[in-house]
């Protein structure tokens, strides 16, 4: 479902060039569960943003569901970002002036639900991450781990066929992390594709395949025999 | 050096009350190395903000260096926050329009250094967290773990006598986390006090004492025999 060919991403800063990704060629089939690991700054979030159609590569090709992403219209891209892909951002990216409920309900607008239906589905999803009693809190009225869970709920609310989760448990205690990983397992068992970035080996073990990045390149790509 | 007596913090939201801290009485001596752990939402960041003089409790007393914090003047508090205490925020709180170098140099303004001296010290501190080559990048031009390390560098730059670090390694790979913990050890060995919030047991093991919070109360307070 995801196929990249020699993806590179270079940032130009004055006279300096930062090669965030040098050449990434990877193939991920529908229903796979892949974990990306690698040192801080190795290019994981940059790759996730390209895979999630939030950013475009400097060079290389990205084929999603058999179609070249650079040929897609703005409408097609918006549809993919809102209905097909669920994205948990490393820095959450919640709307600061909206409640958790509003934040989680946002992707449902694209799915065509009424306001009452959106609030009901969003509340159920908030409960599934343990935050049913925080629906009316705004992000600055939540703990770090609560904000992270609102970001997870928002990514899951549309039952996405592709979940991209960038360090989804970095601010969570062990017990709460495992609850989140159970939700991802549920989504995966319905046949969806999960791509996870993490630097925690215990979390990476939930995946069936572990890809390690270093300095913008793939260092290794191995099967995990016991997910 | 830090003494709290029945500290409580309640947030009022409409008709609802959230008891973030119910009653915290704790005593931390100069030169101790304490780790706070506990589930997401248990009150750790709220306690850190009170200890760091960034927030005041709803009730209870906080004595810092023998003086009641609620009796301090705005000037005394500003001096403490900028010169005595180094704070690594769970959400980094970097100035978005400034470079890493500027962000790290900011606390040095209080110490009375010249601009050239501030930039030199800030650059050395950035190098100590592995980001000497990212001095000119703004926060949005950095990876998640790089932003976290800039936040750590800013907290360390003034050689604070009390370091408060709220989840300082949540976005870092293992190797980089240990480099940061080595910097904290260096600061500790000079006789300074370190208070760390973490949910990672491996990181908590660097501390000499582990205090666990649950639902706004202290659940346990134990010595770590092998830091
Ligand atoms: N401004 C606020 N208004 C209402 N409730 C708040 C506010 N700030 C924090 N809270 C609540 O206080 C409780 C404690 O928050 P705190 O940030 O101290 O938790 P924490 O232990 O640091 O959690 P985490 O591990 O997730 O960072 C949480 O349940 C949170 O929802
Ligand atoms: N807008 C930008 N301009 C310049 N350099 C950038 C920009 N965005 C990212 N970078 C650089 O690209 C590199 C890769 O960043 P990326 O965010 O993908 O890393 P990462 O693997 O997600 O790291 P982490 O584990 O710390 O989150 C980093 O070295 C970063 O400094
Ligand atoms: Mg990242
Ligand atoms: Mg916190």
């Amino acid at each position: 479902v995801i196929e990249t060919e020699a993806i590179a991403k270079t940032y130009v800063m004055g006279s300096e060039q930062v090669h965030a990704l040098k050449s990434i060629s990877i193939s991920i089939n529908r229903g796979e569960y892949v974990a990306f690991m690698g040192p801080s700054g190795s290019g994981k979030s940059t790759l996730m943003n390209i895979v999630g159609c939030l950013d475009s590569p400097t060079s290389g090709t990205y084929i999603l569901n058999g179609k070249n992403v650079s040929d897609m219209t703005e409408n097609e891209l918006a549809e993919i970002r809102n209905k097909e892909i669920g994205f948990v951002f490393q820095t959450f990216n919640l709307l600061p002036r909206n409640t958790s409920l509003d934040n989680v309900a946002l992707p449902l607008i694209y799915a065509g639900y009424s306001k009452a239906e959106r609030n009901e589905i969003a509340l159920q999803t908030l409960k599934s991450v343990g935050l049913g009693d925080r629906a009316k809190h705004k992000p600055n009225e939540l703990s770090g781990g609560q904000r992270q869970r609102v970001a997870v709920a928002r990514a899951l609310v549309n039952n996405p066929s592709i979940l991209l989760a960038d360090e989804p448990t970095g601010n969570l205690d062990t017990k709460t992390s495992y609850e989140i990983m159970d939700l991802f397992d549920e989504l995966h068992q319905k046949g969806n594709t999960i791509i996870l970035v993490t630097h925690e080996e215990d979390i990476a073990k939930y995946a069936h395949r572990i890809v390690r990045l270093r300095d913008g390149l793939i260092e290794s790509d191995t099967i995990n025999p016991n997910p």
Side-chain angles (χ1 to χ4, degrees), chain A:
Chain A
V1 67
I2 288 168
E3 184 110 29
T4 76
E5 179 78 35
I7 290 289
K9 182 75 182 180
T10 301
Y11 294 104
V12 179
M13 301 185 62
S15 57
E16 188 196 318
Q17 281 195 337
V18 177
H19 300 287
L21 294 175
K22 291 173 182 160
S23 181
I24 304 285
S25 303
I26 192 164
S27 189
I28 297 176
N29 294 314
R30 183 173 301 287
E32 280 199 66
Y33 194 149
V34 186
F36 280 93
M37 300 189 80
S40 174
S42 52
K44 307 179 295 297
S45 297
T46 304
L47 181 59
M48 291 288 264
N49 288 338
I50 289 170
V51 167
C53 302
L54 299 168
D55 194 12
S56 43
T58 311
S59 62
T61 320
Y62 173 26
I63 315 255
L64 174 64
N65 291 331
K67 195 164 183 189
N68 192 329
V69 173
S70 54
D71 295 337
M72 291 182 184
T73 65
E74 217 10 77
N75 277 345
E76 284 178 287
L77 286 169
E79 175 114 345
I80 284 176
R81 282 179 214 130
N82 285 295
K83 287 183 73 178
E84 267 231 42
I85 292 178
F87 207 123
V88 186
F89 294 92
Q90 188 169 6
T91 47
F92 320 155
N93 297 5
L94 301 176
L95 299 176
R97 289 192 233 132
N98 293 64
T99 63
S100 323
L101 194 72
D102 291 340
N103 267 287
V104 175
L106 199 60
L108 294 170
I109 295 177
Y110 246 85
Y113 292 103
S114 72
K115 189 154 175 62
E117 287 169 322
R118 295 202 299 270
N119 284 346
E120 179 53 27
I121 296 171
L123 184 60
Q124 285 314 315
T125 316
L126 271 176
K127 285 182 179 173
S128 73
V129 299
L131 293 176
D133 61 351
R134 289 284 183 275
K136 296 283 177 234
H137 287 230
K138 297 199 182 67
N140 68 334
E141 295 166 333
L142 293 172
S143 78
Q146 290 168 345
R147 284 176 217 172
Q148 185 152 43
R149 283 183 276 161
V150 174
V152 168
R154 181 180 60 183
L156 292 174
V157 77
N158 248 341
N159 245 313
S161 56
I162 302 171
L163 177 73
L164 301 178
D166 196 346
E167 313 262 12
T169 62
N171 281 287
L172 301 176
D173 52 285
T174 310
K175 172 164 173 290
T176 314
S177 305
Y178 292 157
E179 290 169 10
I180 297 305
M181 297 313 289
D182 286 347
L183 290 175
F184 291 1
D185 274 349
E186 269 176 51
L187 183 72
H188 182 235
Q189 278 153 26
K190 292 178 196 167
N192 297 302
T193 310
I194 313 262
I195 302 176
L196 181 67
V197 167
T198 182
H199 59 260
E200 297 186 54
E201 301 279 348
D202 287 350
I203 298 297
K205 289 204 175 74
Y206 281 76
H208 296 184
R209 178 180 167 195
I210 298 182
V211 179
R212 291 183 193 269
L213 291 192
R214 181 176 292 278
D215 292 328
L217 291 167
I218 292 179
E219 183 180 56
S220 68
D221 188 343
T222 56
I223 299 292
N224 171 19
N226 302 313

